[in-house]
Amino acid sequence: MIIILKQGVDKKQVEQLSSWLESNADVHVNPIFGSMTTILGLVGDTSSVDMGSIRSNEMVEDVKRVSEPYKKANRKFHPDDTVIEIGKQKIGGGHFQVIAGPCSVESKEQILEVAGAVSAAGSKMLRGGAFKPRTSPYSFQGMRAEGLELLLEAKKETGMPIVSELMSLSHLELFEDVDVIQIGARNMQNFELLKELGHCDKTILLKRGLANTIEELLMSAEYIMSGGNEDIILCERGIRTFETYTRNTLDLSAIPLLKKYSHLPVVVDPSHATGQAWMVPTMAKAAIAAGADGLLIEVHNNPCKAKCDGAQSLNCEEFADLMTDLKRRIEFEGKTL
Ligand code: PEP
Ligand code: MN
């Protein structure tokens, strides 16, 4: 971190400020006295240094970070790709996963049919929402606890690990047999929820918020990791832009960026990113080419009748066709499904 001081600050003031900084964080301050301006270089662990309070000091002109504020999620301190094991499945470090299933669990017949179909097509992990974050309180809110029960039945029947979204800590105990807890876009910065997940032993699929930066996503991962849980899968699911032809704008550049700055696996959700089923195959292929470690794809046995996100859901046949194509591309990238 670099602190640029205002002109006219004398040596005594620099000493005072330096010792205040050193007493507040595990840092060492190196002052550089120029003819006009003095600069302080902070070395050490600057992650707990509050830039706002430094900026508010009357001697300070500006403050700049030169290293990332996240440590545990940072590839600098963990050069190798993290490989996460979920049951018998792996993701990251060359292991690719296609996580597929309906937006919401709607009935026993529906989830068992979709689970059977995506499994037959080659998907090894099943998704399904039981607690749904809906814009309108009048829309279908998910089958809640019963939905999780049905998802567990599908897990038993197919052997597939399951992924489902947690929206409130008060539901956490219902997720005991859920393999991966999804934290949706709307809760990416629910810091109390993230802190609590730092103490649980489950893999977390952390989705990027609707209007959050890459750094904010990594800081949210850091919240969970700093509590001790390092099994995190990052998910790019599109961000809000001015474009209206798509539901969101898939930020493909997030993939190489996240892979550069972090060692955590990155999956892409082309369903929520585009909002339209016909675009899902194209963007899924683009995500593979851009270096993703996995995909999260919504599949429904009857999209026209889906209670949630039907327009962006592939039907079972479309998903099977897509998988045939994706398998070749995943292999071409040197990854295993
Ligand atoms: C979902 O995966 O069903 C979902 C609600 O996603 P997001 O949080 O990305 O909108
Ligand atoms: Mn959905």
Side-chain angles (χ1 to χ4, degrees), residues 184-189 191 207-218 220 235-242 247-251 254 272:
R186 290 150 194 84
N187 268 316
M188 188 205 90
Q189 286 192 315
F191 299 119
K207 292 187 117 183
R208 182 180 182 182
L210 278 70
N212 286 109
T213 63
I214 303 280
E215 186 161 296
E216 285 165 345
L217 172 59
L218 290 170
S220 289
C235 179
E236 163 59 38
R237 45 78 73 202
I239 48 174
R240 276 264 164 102
T241 68
F242 47 82
R247 182 175 179 180
N248 291 291
T249 295
L250 179 59
D251 180 10
H272 291 89

Side-chain angles (χ1 to χ4, degrees), residues 186-204:
R186 290 150 194 84
N187 268 316
M188 188 205 90
Q189 286 192 315
N190 183 338
F191 299 119
E192 287 301 317
L193 188 56
L194 302 180
K195 277 189 224 170
E196 209 55 47
L197 294 174
H199 307 304
C200 88
D201 60 0
K202 284 191 192 300
T203 299
I204 310 297

